[in-house]
Amino acid sequence: NDPEAVETEDDAAAAAAEPAGDNAEPGDDVVIGFSGPAAGHGWIGAITEGAQNQGDEFDDVELRVSEGTDDVNQQISQIEQFINDDVDAIVVLPFDGAALTEVAIEAMNAGIPVVNVDREFSSPFAARTTILGDNYGMGVSAGTYICEQLGDQDDAVVAEIAGIDSLPLTQDRSQGFEDALSDCGMEVENRVAADFTVAGGESATANLLQAAPEIDAIWNHDDEQGVGVLAAIENAGRDEFFMIGGAGSANMMREIESGDSVVEATVVYPASQAADGVRLARLLAQERAMSDLVESDVPREIQLYAPVVMG
Amino acid sequence: MRGIIKHFPGAKALDGVDLDIRAGEVHCLLGQNGAGKSTLIKVLSGAHQPTGGEILWKGEQVTIPTTMAALRLGIATMYQELDVVDGLTVAENVFLGHELSSGGVLHRATALERTRDLLRRLGHPEIPAQREVGRLPAAGKQIVSMARALSHEAQLIIMDEPSAVLDPEEVENLFRVVRALRDQGVAVVYISHRLEEIRRIGDRITVLKDGRTAATSLAVQDTPTRELIALMTGHEVISDFGGAAVGPISDQPLLEVDGLSLEGIFEPVSFDVRPGEVVGLAGLVGAGRSEILETIYGARRATTGEVRVKGKKLRRGSIADAVNHDVGLAPEERKSQGLLLDEPIYRNITLSSFARFARSGLLNERAERSAAREQAEALHLSPADVARNIRTLSGGNQQKAMLARWLVHGCEVLLLDEPTRGVDVGARAEIYGLVRELSRRGTAVLMVSSEIEEVLGLADRVLVVADGHVVHTGATKDIDEHQVLDLVMEGAHG
Amino acid sequence: MSEATATGSVPGADIPAQEELPHRDLSPVEEKAPKKVAGSNLSLGHSLGLVLALGALVALGVITGGDRFLSLANLMVILQQAAVIGVISIGVTFVITSGGIDLSVGSVMGLATVWATTLGTQAMATDIHWSIMFFTALAVGAAAGLLNGVIIAYGRVVPFIATLAMLVAARGFAELISGRQTQIITVQGFTSTFRGDLLGIPIIVWMFLIVALAGWFLLNRTTFGRRTIAVGGNPEAARLAGIKVKRHLVMIYTLAGLCAGIGAVMMLSRTTSGSSTHGYLYELDAIAAVVVGGTLLAGGRGTIFGTVLGVLVFAVLRNVFVQNNLDSSVQAVVTGAIIVGAVLLQQRFSSHSRT
Amino acid sequence: MSEATATGSVPGADIPAQEELPHRDLSPVEEKAPKKVAGSNLSLGHSLGLVLALGALVALGVITGGDRFLSLANLMVILQQAAVIGVISIGVTFVITSGGIDLSVGSVMGLATVWATTLGTQAMATDIHWSIMFFTALAVGAAAGLLNGVIIAYGRVVPFIATLAMLVAARGFAELISGRQTQIITVQGFTSTFRGDLLGIPIIVWMFLIVALAGWFLLNRTTFGRRTIAVGGNPEAARLAGIKVKRHLVMIYTLAGLCAGIGAVMMLSRTTSGSSTHGYLYELDAIAAVVVGGTLLAGGRGTIFGTVLGVLVFAVLRNVFVQNNLDSSVQAVVTGAIIVGAVLLQQRFSSHSRT
Ligand SMILES: Nc1ncnc2c1ncn2[C@@H]1O[C@H](COP(=O)(O)OP(=O)(O)OP(=O)(O)O)[C@@H](O)[C@H]1O
Ligand SMILES: Nc1ncnc2c1ncn2[C@@H]1O[C@H](COP(=O)(O)OP(=O)(O)OP(=O)(O)O)[C@@H](O)[C@H]1O
Ligand SMILES: [Mg+2]
Ligand SMILES: [Mg+2]
C-alpha cells in the first residue's frame, strides 16, 4: 500500500548507517509543532491531551500546541508559522486532510518532517509518516459483530447513530458498516447523525427511538456522544436491543463491564495516535531509528487496529 | 390638487382636500394638529400614494409615484421630521439622492463648493460643509434640510413647520430666503402653527380641518386671525396665556439651583423657583438652555454646583433621585427623548409612574389606564382612546401626552423644554391653561421656549441665556420682547 | 390677552373640566382598524402565522408518521427536546426585547454544567446533596450573566461584543475546569430527581412550562417587564422618565444567565453529564427561535408565546425529519426554506407590519 | 399649479447672502469636540483605540518572539490568514452599515468553493481554463447574495432570519453537490495563478489589499457608499430623498455575496480544495471583526479601515498565541478578555460616544 517505495528505500539506506539505540534515551533538543482540530468533542480533546502529555514526558522535546481549530485556513497558517519558526518536526491532525495537503508539502519541501495523524493527506509527498486509525475497519468490525449476533434474523432492525456527517471519517465508518451488514443480508434501517457531542447524541437518539419503535441493534460511532445516547435510551426506557459503541472511552468500558446496560461492546479507536505521532516526530527530528522494529527505520504508514472489545 | 383622499389603516387622514398653488406665491397651510397637513404634502411629494383624488401640475394631470418623480417635476420638500442622515456630512446630506457624480464616483469638491455656497446664501457660512450632521444642533439640521430643498431646481418648495426648531433670529433668516424664492417665481407652501409668521410671510391661506378643506385660498390681508382660528378649530379660541401669572404662593423656594455648571456648555447659574411660580429661560438656539434643564434633572452630570428641592440636595447625575423628589421633565425632542412610539398612549403616560400603580412588582393596568384616561380627557387628547398606539397621534397630541405623564406622576417641580413646539393654537391655549392651573396648585415650573412672547406671557420671571451665560434675570413685567432680543443678540455675538 | 378662558384642567382640582370645548374627532375609522386584543403579547393574531406553520408541520408529521407521531411518548420527546433550548430562549427573549443580544448563553450553560459536575463529582466526592449541584448551576449562570450586564451597562460595550467575549471565554474556562473531559454525574439524587415524571409528564417539561409561564408573567404583568419593553423601545425616554436603565440592563442579562443556569440543570439531567461542549451554538438556535417567534431584534417588542412557538417549530421539524429518515444535507436545505416560509406566513397573518 | 414661471436655475442661487447680520454659530462647540480629520472613515482618531490595541499586540509579539515575529515571512503568514476573513468582512461591513446583518457569508463561501471545484474536477474534466472556476465562484456568491437581498428587501423578512436560512440551506446544498467529499482542484492553472507571489507578496494578500481599497473607495467616495450609510442611518429619510431603498438593499447583499465569492477563490487557492465545511462559522468572525472595528451594528456608520484593523487584531492575536505556545483553553479565556479590552480602549479614544 506504499507507492513511494523508492523514497522509503533511500531513507532506509540513510538510516541503516546509524545504529538503532533505545528510543527513550534523551537525544538532541528538538521543537515539535502540533496542530489539530478544535477540541469540540472528547476524542479530539483526548488526542490533544495525549500529545501534550507525551511532549511533557520527553525532556528533549519542546512541543508547541497551536489552538485547535476547525477552520482549515487557520490551520494552514499554523503550519506556515511552524515552517517560519523552523521547527524540527510537525505533527498534524488535519481538520480536512485534502485541504492541508499543500501546506504539508511545503513543510516537507522545507525539510521539516511531517507526521500525519488520523485523517490522511491526499498526497503521499505531504507526510514523512502517517498514523491512521482504521475508520472503515471500525465500521466493518461493528457490522460484523452485529451480523454474528443477529445472524439468523434477516428482518432485524439495525440503527446507526453517526457522528458529524460531513467528515470523511464518518463516511468511512458508515461505508464499512454498510458493507459488513450487506455481507449478511442486512441493512441500516434508521440512521441519524449527531455531532460527536453528548448533547447531540442525546437529541438525535431521542428522536431516533421515537421513529423506530422496535430496534434490534444500534451502532453508535462515538462513545463520547454515547453518554448522551445512553441517557436518551434510559430516558425512553427502552432495552429491547443491544448497542455497540465506537472509539472506546473509559465511561463506556465501565458500562460494558457492569453488564446491566444495553451496551455490549465497543469498537476501539485509539486516542493515542497523536501521542505516537509526537514520539515518531521526535525520532524523525533527532534522525533516529525505531529500536523496536526489525526494520528499524520509522515506517511510512502505520494503521492502528480497531478491534471490538466486549464485556 | 383636487379631492385628495388618503386612508391609513385605522385612520382617515385626508377626506377630500383641495389645494391650489400659484407660481410666485407663499401659500400657507393651516390646521390643527392631526388635521392632515403633513399627509397632504407627503401626497404631493410622492412619499404617500393618495387613496383618491387627482393632482394637476401646470394644468396637466399627473401621478407622483415616488419622491424622485416629485423632484423631477420640480417639487422639493422639507419634511417635518428632520429628514437628515446623522452619519453623513452636511454636503452629502444636501446632495443625498441626487449626488453630483459621474459613473457613481462622487465629485466631492464640487459638492462641497455648492454646499458652501448654499449655506452662505442661507446665512450660515459657519456650518462646515464637511461636518457630520449628527453633530449639529437641531436648528443646524433644519438649515441642512433647507439647503437640500434649495439644491434642487424646484418650482415648488414645501416647508413643513420649518420654524419649529428655530429661534426668532433664525426665523428672520428663513423669511429672507422665502421672500427671495418667491421673488424668483418659485411657489412656496409654508406650514406653521405660529399665526404671526403666517401674517408676515404668507400670501394666501388654505385651512384644513379634520382632513377636509375648511377654506381655501384666503388672502392673508383679508382674513383676521380670529377668523382663521375659528376655521381651524371650529370655535373661537382666545389665544392668551391662561390669564395673569399666579405668582409665588410662598416665599420658601421649592427648587434651588446653586452654582450649577456644565463644563464647556454653560457657566455657573444660580436661581430658585418658588411654589406657584413660573420661571422662563429665554435665549437663542444653542444657548444651552436645554442643558441647564437636563443638568438640573440629573440627565447630565453637573461639573459644579448643586440642586435642592424643598431644601433637600439632589444626587448629582441621578434622574431617579430627581424623580423621587417629584421633579419632572418634558424633554425637547418628543420622539427621541420622550415617547415609546410603538406602545399604547396610556403606557406612555404612565411611563414614570407605572411602578406606583403596581403592587410588589405586579402591574395594575386597569388603574394605569383609568388614570391615563382621566388626564387624556382633561387635556382633550384626540383621539382619547388611550389604548391606541401613540405613534398615530399628531405632534400636538403627543406633546399633551408628555405633560399628562407628569400630571399622573404628580410633580412639584416641572421642567418644560419647548412645551408648545409644533403644537396648534387650540392645544397651545390648553397647555397654557394647564401650566396656570399647576402653578395655582403650588407647582414650581421652569420652562424653556424659543418664542420670547411665550416666555414673557407665561412666566413670572425670566432668565435670559446667551452662549452659556445668564445675562439677565428679572421679572417679566419689567422687560419687553425687544429688550430680551437685544440682550440675547448681545450675548450671542458679543 | 387678559380674560382667562382656562381650558386644560387638572383632575382632582376643583375646577371642572370645561365642557363647551367641542372635542375634535379624529378617532380611527373603526371598520378599518384591525381588532386588537389588549396586551398585544397575548394575542393569537400576532402569532397566527406561526401557529399555522406549526400546524402544517404537525400535519406533515401525521401524514408521514401516523399514530406514532401523535403518540404521547413522541409528544414528550418533542417537548423534552424543546425544553432546554426553550428555557434559554425565554431568557434571550428578555435580552432581545431590551434591544440587546446575548451570544453567550450556550457557553455559559456549558460552563454551568461543568462547574456543577466538578463540584458533584470531584471536589466533595459523591455524597453531597443534589440541591447543591442545582444551585451551583444556577449561580454560575447568573454570575456570568451579571458580568455580561455590568460590562454592557457600565462598561458601555455593545452587547454583541461583550457577550461574544463571554462566549469565547466561558467555553475556554469550562475546558480548563473539566480538562476537556465529559464528567458523568455521580450524585445519585440529582438524576433521579430530575429524570422523573409528574402526572405522566417529565420533570424537564414541567420546568420548561413553569419558566415559560413565569417569563410570560414577568414580561407582561410586572414592572420589570414593562421596564424591559421601555428600555428596548426608547432607552433615552426610559432614562428621562426615571427608569434606572443601567441597573435594569444588568438585571436582564443576569436573568438570561439564570435561564442558562436552569438550562444547564436540565441538560445535566438529560445527558447525565457535564461537558464544555454542552450548549455549543445554542445561542444561534435560541436567537433564531426568539426572532422567528416575532420578538423584534431592534427591541421594544417581545413575545414569550411567540418564542415558545418558535422553539416548538424547530423541535417538531427535527422530529419529523428523523421520522422520515431524511438525509442531513437535505434537512438543512429544507430547514432553510421552512424558516423563510414560516416568517413570511407569520408576516402575512400578523396584525403588525414591520418595515 | 397653473402658470409656473419655470426658473431654469437653482432657486437658492439668487438669494442675497445676508451680510449685515453677524453670523451666529450653529456648528457644534469646537473645544468640546475632539479634532477630527475630514472624512470620518479615514480618520485615525476614530480607530485610535484599535490601533493602540493592535500596537500592544505587536509589541507583545516582538517581546515574546523577537525577530522571528517581525520577519517578513511571519508578517505574510499573518496577512494570508487575515486575507480570506478580511475580504468577507469588507462585504459584511456594507451590510452592517446598511443596518442589516449577514449570517450566511461563511456558508455561501463554502458553497462557492464546492461549486467551483465541481465544475473544475468533475463536469468538464481538468482542461477548463482556471478563469471559469474563478468566475463560477464569484457568480455563485453573488447569486446567493442576490437571493438574500430579494428575500430581505421584497419579502420583508428580517435580515437575521433570511440570512440564517441561507446559512443552513447553502451548507446543505454544498454537501449535496459535493457528496460531502473534499474536492481537490485539478485545474492546473488555478493553483499556480493564485498561489504565486507578486513583488514578494502573495497574490492572496494583494487580493485582500485590492478588495479593502475598493471597499473603502466604494463606501466613502461613491454614491453607492453614501446611500448605504443613508439607508442604514435613516431609511425613511433615504426613501424621502428619492433613494430606491429596496433596490439598494438587494445590491448590498449581492455585494456581500460577491465578497464571499472572492473569499471562496482565495480559500480554494489556500487549500487547493473545495469543501462544504469551508467557511464554517466565518460569519461570526467577520461580524466580530466588523463590530470591533467600529462599524455600528445598528447601521448608519461604517468604517472599512476599522474592519481591516479588527481582522488584523484577531489574526495577530492568534499568531502571538501560537508563538507563545499557550494552551488553547487559556487562549479562549484571554481572547475574551482582549476583545472587551480592545473595545473599551477604542471607546476611550474614539470621538464618538454611544449611549
Ligand atoms: N402612518 C400613519 N398611520 C396611521 N395614521 C396616520 C399616519 N400618519 C398620519 N396619520 C394620521 O393622520 C392624521 C393627519 O396627520 P398629519 O401628520 O398629516 O397631521 P398634521 O396636520 O401634519 O399635524 P401636526 O400639526 O401635528 O404636524 C392624524 O390623525 C394622524 O394620526
Ligand atoms: N453632547 C454634546 N457635546 C458637545 N456639545 C454639545 C452637546 N450637546 C449639546 N451641545 C452644544 O451645547 C450647546 C447648547 O445646546 P442646545 O442646542 O440644546 O441649546 P438650547 O439653548 O437648549 O437650544 P434649543 O433651543 O435648540 O433647545 C449647543 O451649541 C450644542 O451644540
Ligand atoms: Mg405635520
Ligand atoms: Mg434646547
Side-chain angles (χ1 to χ4, degrees):
Chain A
N1 144 15
D2 190 353
E4 292 308 310
V6 182
E7 196 185 60
T8 312
E9 274 166 22
D10 282 352
D11 284 351
E18 224 176 313
D22 183 358
N23 284 344
E25 259 173 35
D28 304 337
D29 282 356
V30 290
V31 179
I32 298 173
F34 176 79
S35 169
H41 62 96
W43 189 79
I44 298 282
I47 277 276
T48 315
E49 207 77 12
Q52 192 104 55
N53 292 340
Q54 192 60 254
D56 292 346
E57 223 167 76
F58 293 117
D59 291 333
D60 50 357
V61 167
E62 184 199 328
L63 187 70
R64 294 225 183 111
V65 182
S66 56
E67 183 191 356
T69 176
D70 290 351
D71 172 8
V72 287
N73 182 33
Q74 197 183 326
Q75 210 177 4
I76 290 171
S77 295
Q78 291 171 351
I79 311 288
E80 284 173 342
Q81 203 174 346
F82 286 145
I83 299 173
N84 274 347
D85 290 358
D86 206 16
V87 297
D88 300 298
I90 302 174
V91 180
V92 189
L93 199 175
F95 174 76
D96 179 343
L100 271 111
T101 302
E102 209 60 37
V103 75
I105 291 175
E106 270 169 40
M108 292 285 284
N109 289 345
I112 302 172
V114 175
V115 179
N116 179 198
V117 175
D118 191 48
R119 302 178 191 172
E120 202 173 1
F121 291 137
S122 56
S123 158
F125 301 107
R128 165 61 184 80
T129 184
T130 304
I131 307 175
L132 291 181
D134 187 1
N135 285 302
Y136 182 82
M138 262 183 96
V140 171
S141 295
T144 310
Y145 181 84
I146 289 177
C147 281
E148 283 164 10
Q149 300 294 313
L150 299 176
D152 42 347
Q153 300 166 245
D154 36 351
D155 57 345
V157 178
V158 178
E160 180 186 1
I161 302 169
I164 297 174
D165 251 352
S166 53
L167 293 180
L169 69 93
T170 299
Q171 292 152 20
D172 289 348
R173 289 177 189 183
S174 287
Q175 194 58 51
F177 191 53
E178 196 188 314
D179 292 351
L181 284 181
S182 70
D183 273 354
C184 62
M186 283 192 271
E187 60 179 30
V188 178
E189 200 78 24
N190 293 80
R191 183 180 185 281
V192 287
D195 55 1
F196 286 131
T197 69
V198 179
E202 197 276 339
S203 167
T205 309
N207 281 316
L208 171 75
L209 293 179
Q210 279 311 312
E214 271 290 328
I215 301 177
D216 293 294
I218 296 181
W219 181 40
N220 167 46
H221 283 205
D222 181 71
D223 286 342
E224 178 71 21
Q225 72 187 20
V227 175
V229 170
L230 281 182
I233 291 172
E234 198 180 310
N235 213 28
R238 297 270 291 266
D239 61 359
E240 81 277 6
F241 51 80
F242 65 90
M243 184 172 113
I244 305 168
S249 70
N251 288 327
M252 209 48 73
M253 291 304 181
R254 269 196 297 278
E255 290 282 345
I256 293 170
E257 267 156 36
S258 78
D260 44 40
S261 126
V262 293
V263 197
E264 282 187 2
T266 187
V267 189
V268 170
Y269 192 79
S272 57
Q273 296 176 49
D276 284 342
V278 172
R279 281 170 167 271
L280 294 182
R282 169 173 167 270
L283 294 182
L284 289 169
Q286 294 171 344
E287 292 170 17
R288 296 208 284 179
M290 284 183 84
S291 56
D292 305 344
L293 297 180
V294 180
E295 161 64 72
S296 63
D297 203 356
V298 175
R300 255 324 253 129
E301 182 169 309
I302 302 172
Q303 185 150 42
L304 301 166
Y305 178 44
V308 175
V309 179
M310 286 167 273
Chain B
M1 300 177 85
R2 304 251 164 77
I4 299 292
I5 300 173
K6 174 70 190 173
H7 291 185
F8 288 115
K12 239 183 212 178
L14 298 177
D15 200 7
V17 174
D18 300 321
L19 178 65
D20 162 63
I21 308 158
R22 294 185 199 137
E25 74 164 348
V26 178
H27 196 112
C28 294
L29 207 49
L30 277 182
Q32 285 182 300
N33 292 128
K37 303 180 295 292
S38 298
T39 308
L40 180 67
I41 59 117
K42 278 188 179 166
V43 167
L44 186 54
S45 71
H48 283 329
Q49 291 314 300
T51 317
E54 56 178 15
I55 302 172
L56 300 179
W57 176 254
K58 299 181 188 170
E60 275 169 49
Q61 187 167 343
V62 290
T63 54
I64 308 179
T66 62
T67 49
M68 231 350 150
L71 289 169
R72 253 183 245 122
L73 284 178
I75 304 173
T77 311
M78 292 167 63
Y79 296 93
Q80 181 171 16
E81 316 302 337
L82 290 174
D83 55 350
V84 292
V85 179
D86 283 350
L88 294 179
T89 66
V90 172
E92 287 163 350
N93 262 289
V94 167
F95 289 102
L96 185 65
H98 62 120
E99 294 85 355
L100 305 175
S101 64
S102 41
V105 179
L106 298 169
H107 295 165
R108 301 192 335 133
T110 326
L112 282 176
E113 195 55 42
R114 302 251 310 256
T115 303
R116 286 200 193 101
D117 196 45
L118 281 167
L119 289 172
R120 195 160 40 242
R121 286 169 194 289
L122 287 171
H124 284 282
E126 87 290 353
I127 296 179
Q130 274 187 317
R131 172 83 81 232
E132 248 182 55
V133 161
R135 294 153 40 93
L136 296 180
K141 293 181 183 178
Q142 189 74 65
I143 304 293
V144 173
S145 188
M146 200 181 318
R148 179 193 292 169
L150 293 184
S151 71
H152 292 277
E153 294 189 10
Q155 296 157 41
L156 169 62
I157 295 184
I158 304 172
M159 302 183 174
D160 196 351
E161 300 193 30
S163 59
V165 295
L166 302 181
D167 61 34
E169 188 191 348
E170 288 304 326
V171 172
E172 277 316 314
N173 213 348
L174 173 70
F175 284 177
R176 186 176 53 77
V177 175
V178 171
R179 284 195 194 101
L181 287 171
R182 182 186 57 194
D183 295 344
Q184 292 166 45
V186 174
V188 176
V189 172
Y190 188 90
I191 301 177
S192 174
H193 288 293
R194 299 179 185 167
L195 294 179
E196 74 283 358
E197 290 179 1
I198 309 287
R199 295 242 145 266
R200 288 185 44 208
I201 193 82
D203 297 318
R204 294 193 306 156
I205 300 177
T206 292
V207 182
L208 294 189
K209 178 166 163 33
D210 300 352
R212 292 202 177 78
T213 321
T216 188
S217 306
L218 304 170
V220 167
Q221 302 89 331
D222 312 338
T223 323
T225 304
R226 163 186 294 276
E227 192 185 324
L228 282 178
I229 294 175
L231 278 170
M232 280 161 62
T233 61
H235 62 94
E236 305 242 323
V237 172
I238 297 163
S239 173
D240 69 353
F241 294 101
V246 177
I249 292 174
S250 123
D251 278 343
Q252 199 63 37
L254 196 49
L255 171 73
E256 296 169 80
V257 177
D258 197 1
L260 198 69
S261 78
L262 192 61
E263 202 187 334
I265 308 286
F266 63 86
E267 300 303 310
V269 289
S270 303
F271 62 91
D272 47 40
V273 188
R274 287 161 288 180
E277 192 178 28
V278 180
V279 172
L281 291 176
L284 297 180
V285 166
R289 300 158 302 166
S290 296
E291 281 71 12
I292 293 179
L293 247 55
E294 286 168 7
T295 311
I296 291 173
Y297 190 57
R300 289 167 188 261
R301 210 184 156 77
T303 314
T304 65
E306 64 180 40
V307 177
R308 285 185 298 276
V309 172
K310 282 195 284 189
K312 288 206 205 71
K313 192 175 168 228
L314 297 188
R315 249 191 307 139
R316 193 177 282 186
S318 165
I319 295 178
D321 200 39
V323 172
N324 283 340
H325 285 87
D326 292 329
V327 181
L329 168 76
E332 177 174 21
E333 307 207 4
R334 278 192 299 270
K335 291 219 163 127
S336 64
Q337 298 183 296
L339 299 175
L340 303 173
L341 288 173
D342 288 317
E343 289 289 297
I345 296 170
Y346 77 91
R347 290 194 187 173
N348 273 284
I349 291 181
T350 58
L351 187 61
S352 67
S353 53
F354 61 82
R356 202 149 12 87
F357 293 99
R359 207 176 304 143
S360 55
L362 211 62
L363 292 172
N364 183 349
E365 296 210 353
R366 185 187 305 235
E368 279 181 43
R369 219 176 296 218
S370 75
R373 194 174 305 119
E374 207 178 315
Q375 293 301 341
E377 278 164 14
L379 292 174
H380 305 291
L381 201 70
S382 157
D385 173 12
V386 293
R388 264 179 76 119
N389 231 328
I390 202 153
R391 187 189 285 279
T392 61
L393 255 56
S394 71
N397 283 304
Q398 288 176 349
Q399 183 68 39
K400 285 196 234 167
M402 285 297 310
L403 290 177
R405 175 181 299 169
W406 295 109
L407 296 182
V408 168
H409 184 95
C411 57
E412 306 209 39
V413 178
L414 187 56
L415 311 172
L416 301 176
D417 201 348
E418 307 280 5
T420 60
R421 173 177 292 178
V423 170
D424 68 40
V425 270
R428 203 174 272 245
E430 285 166 19
I431 289 169
Y432 294 152
L434 188 68
V435 171
R436 282 284 173 263
E437 175 55 33
L438 285 171
S439 17
R440 220 163 281 144
R441 289 201 292 159
T443 307
V445 178
L446 180 62
M447 69 163 226
V448 167
S449 172
S450 292
E451 287 173 62
I452 294 169
E453 189 196 357
E454 183 172 288
V455 175
L456 295 182
L458 205 53
D460 303 278
R461 277 192 298 145
V462 62
L463 301 174
V464 180
V465 187
D467 206 15
H469 298 267
V470 175
V471 293
H472 170 86
T473 311
T476 46
K477 56 181 188 298
D478 304 333
I479 194 165
D480 66 21
E481 235 181 295
H482 287 291
Q483 284 169 292
V484 174
L485 212 49
D486 288 345
L487 280 168
V488 157
M489 300 289 177
E490 229 167 83
H493 302 296
Chain C
M1 306 218 179
S2 49
E3 243 50 292
T5 0
T7 44
S9 139
V10 181
D14 18 23
I15 298 181
Q18 219 148 0
E19 294 299 6
E20 65 267 39
L21 261 181
H23 293 262
R24 276 171 297 132
D25 189 19
L26 243 184
S27 54
V29 189
E30 280 306 333
E31 54 284 2
K32 287 217 67 171
K35 298 277 174 291
K36 247 189 145 186
V37 189
S40 60
N41 293 310
L42 237 180
S43 81
L44 192 78
H46 194 79
S47 304
L48 189 60
L50 215 53
V51 172
L52 286 179
L54 190 59
L57 280 178
V58 169
L60 191 71
V62 173
I63 291 167
T64 57
D67 290 347
R68 214 190 317 139
F69 179 81
L70 274 188
S71 71
L72 190 72
N74 192 41
L75 190 72
M76 286 307 140
V77 165
I78 295 177
L79 286 178
Q80 276 181 289
Q81 291 284 297
V84 179
I85 209 78
V87 164
I88 291 179
S89 301
I90 300 292
V92 172
T93 305
F94 280 86
V95 170
I96 295 185
T97 303
S98 80
I101 195 122
D102 193 341
L103 298 176
S104 73
V105 281
S107 277
V108 167
M109 187 190 96
L111 178 63
T113 65
V114 166
W115 203 311
T117 46
T118 301
L119 200 79
T121 52
Q122 290 150 344
M124 307 191 209
T126 58
D127 55 350
I128 61 163
H129 194 258
W130 61 263
S131 63
I132 297 185
M133 267 181 79
F134 176 80
F135 287 113
T136 305
L138 263 51
V140 170
L146 181 74
L147 186 56
N148 275 336
V150 168
I151 292 175
I152 291 164
Y154 295 97
R156 291 158 155 258
V157 174
V158 282
F160 187 94
I161 296 292
T163 58
L164 178 74
M166 179 60 86
L167 160 87
V168 180
R171 184 81 65 209
F173 200 42
E175 284 178 12
L176 282 181
I177 295 182
S178 66
R180 298 205 193 89
Q181 302 295 318
T182 300
Q183 300 174 329
I184 309 252
I185 300 175
T186 49
V187 180
Q188 273 311 320
F190 188 87
T191 343
S192 56
T193 307
F194 287 102
R195 287 174 74 91
D197 282 16
L198 193 67
L199 308 175
I201 294 172
I203 298 287
I204 280 196
V205 176
W206 281 113
M207 288 173 77
F208 178 29
L209 200 72
I210 291 170
V211 171
L213 284 177
W216 180 87
F217 188 79
L218 193 62
L219 186 61
N220 297 298
R221 290 284 179 270
T222 68
T223 52
F224 182 87
R226 179 68 70 77
R227 289 197 184 107
T228 304
I229 293 170
V231 167
N234 188 342
E236 181 65 6
R239 189 175 81 97
L240 290 179
I243 293 173
K244 292 178 178 128
V245 175
K246 292 189 177 179
R247 220 184 55 182
H248 193 73
L249 283 178
V250 172
M251 291 204 284
I252 286 172
Y253 285 90
T254 308
L255 178 70
L258 185 69
C259 284
I262 299 175
V265 170
M266 298 161 76
M267 194 70 170
L268 282 169
S269 89
R270 287 289 281 171
T271 65
T272 66
S273 66
S275 159
S276 58
T277 64
H278 282 353
Y280 185 59
L281 293 189
Y282 273 30
E283 49 280 350
L284 277 187
D285 288 354
I287 296 171
V290 170
V291 179
V292 166
T295 295
L296 280 190
L297 251 189
R301 180 174 294 124
T303 149
I304 299 285
F305 184 56
T307 297
V308 171
L309 282 177
V311 170
L312 288 181
V313 163
F314 284 107
V316 171
L317 198 62
R318 198 171 301 151
N319 192 271
V320 173
F321 280 156
V322 173
Q323 184 168 281
N324 288 290
N325 213 3
L326 222 62
D327 175 81
S328 63
S329 311
V330 180
Q331 281 185 28
V333 176
V334 175
T335 304
I338 287 182
I339 293 175
V340 169
V343 172
L344 284 176
L345 247 183
Q346 152 121 10
Q347 226 150 38
R348 182 145 216 97
F349 286 96
S350 84
S351 48
H352 204 275
S353 74
R354 265 169 295 115
T355 14
Chain D
M1 298 312 307
S2 40
E3 52 274 57
T5 14
T7 54
S9 68
V10 178
D14 296 332
I15 300 167
Q18 198 154 14
E19 301 303 344
E20 63 268 42
L21 252 184
H23 300 294
R24 202 149 45 77
D25 197 359
L26 273 186
S27 59
V29 189
E30 277 307 332
E31 53 281 8
K32 287 237 48 172
K35 298 277 173 288
K36 250 188 139 189
V37 189
S40 61
N41 293 310
L42 240 181
S43 82
L44 193 79
H46 196 78
S47 305
L48 189 60
L50 215 52
V51 172
L52 286 181
L54 190 59
L57 279 177
V58 170
L60 192 71
V62 174
I63 291 169
T64 57
D67 290 348
R68 212 188 321 137
F69 178 82
L70 273 188
S71 70
L72 190 72
N74 192 46
L75 192 70
M76 286 307 142
V77 168
I78 295 177
L79 286 178
Q80 273 183 287
Q81 144 135 56
V84 179
I85 210 78
V87 165
I88 291 180
S89 300
I90 301 292
V92 172
T93 305
F94 280 85
V95 170
I96 295 185
T97 303
S98 81
I101 195 123
D102 193 341
L103 298 177
S104 72
V105 281
S107 276
V108 167
M109 186 191 98
L111 177 63
T113 65
V114 167
W115 204 311
T117 45
T118 300
L119 200 78
T121 53
Q122 289 148 344
M124 309 190 209
T126 59
D127 55 351
I128 60 165
H129 193 257
W130 60 264
S131 65
I132 297 184
M133 266 182 81
F134 176 79
F135 287 113
T136 304
L138 263 50
V140 170
L146 180 74
L147 186 57
N148 276 335
V150 169
I151 292 175
I152 290 164
Y154 295 96
R156 289 158 157 259
V157 175
V158 282
F160 187 93
I161 296 291
T163 58
L164 178 74
M166 180 59 85
L167 159 87
V168 179
R171 185 78 67 206
F173 199 43
E175 285 179 10
L176 282 181
I177 294 181
S178 66
R180 299 206 192 86
Q181 302 294 322
T182 301
Q183 300 174 329
I184 304 202
I185 300 175
T186 49
V187 181
Q188 274 312 321
F190 188 88
T191 345
S192 57
T193 308
F194 287 102
R195 287 178 73 90
D197 282 16
L198 193 68
L199 309 176
I201 294 173
I203 298 288
I204 281 196
V205 176
W206 280 114
M207 288 173 77
F208 178 30
L209 199 73
I210 290 168
V211 171
L213 285 177
W216 180 88
F217 187 80
L218 193 62
L219 186 63
N220 297 297
R221 290 286 179 271
T222 68
T223 53
F224 181 86
R226 301 291 91 186
R227 288 177 180 191
T228 301
I229 292 175
V231 166
N234 191 344
E236 182 61 12
R239 189 179 76 90
L240 292 178
I243 294 172
K244 296 188 176 107
V245 175
K246 291 187 177 180
R247 217 183 58 182
H248 195 78
L249 283 178
V250 172
M251 292 202 287
I252 287 172
Y253 285 90
T254 308
L255 177 69
L258 184 69
C259 284
I262 300 175
V265 171
M266 298 161 76
M267 194 70 171
L268 282 168
S269 87
R270 284 283 278 168
T271 65
T272 65
S273 67
S275 160
S276 59
T277 62
H278 282 353
Y280 185 59
L281 293 188
Y282 272 30
E283 49 279 352
L284 277 187
D285 287 354
I287 296 170
V290 171
V291 178
V292 165
T295 296
L296 280 192
L297 250 190
R301 186 166 281 125
T303 149
I304 298 285
F305 185 56
T307 296
V308 172
L309 282 178
V311 171
L312 289 181
V313 163
F314 283 106
V316 171
L317 196 62
R318 286 203 179 117
N319 192 274
V320 174
F321 279 155
V322 172
Q323 185 167 280
N324 287 289
N325 202 13
L326 225 60
D327 176 79
S328 68
S329 308
V330 179
Q331 282 184 24
V333 176
V334 175
T335 304
I338 288 182
I339 293 175
V340 169
V343 172
L344 284 176
L345 246 183
Q346 153 120 10
Q347 226 150 36
R348 182 145 217 100
F349 286 96
S350 86
S351 49
H352 205 274
S353 74
R354 269 169 294 115
T355 14

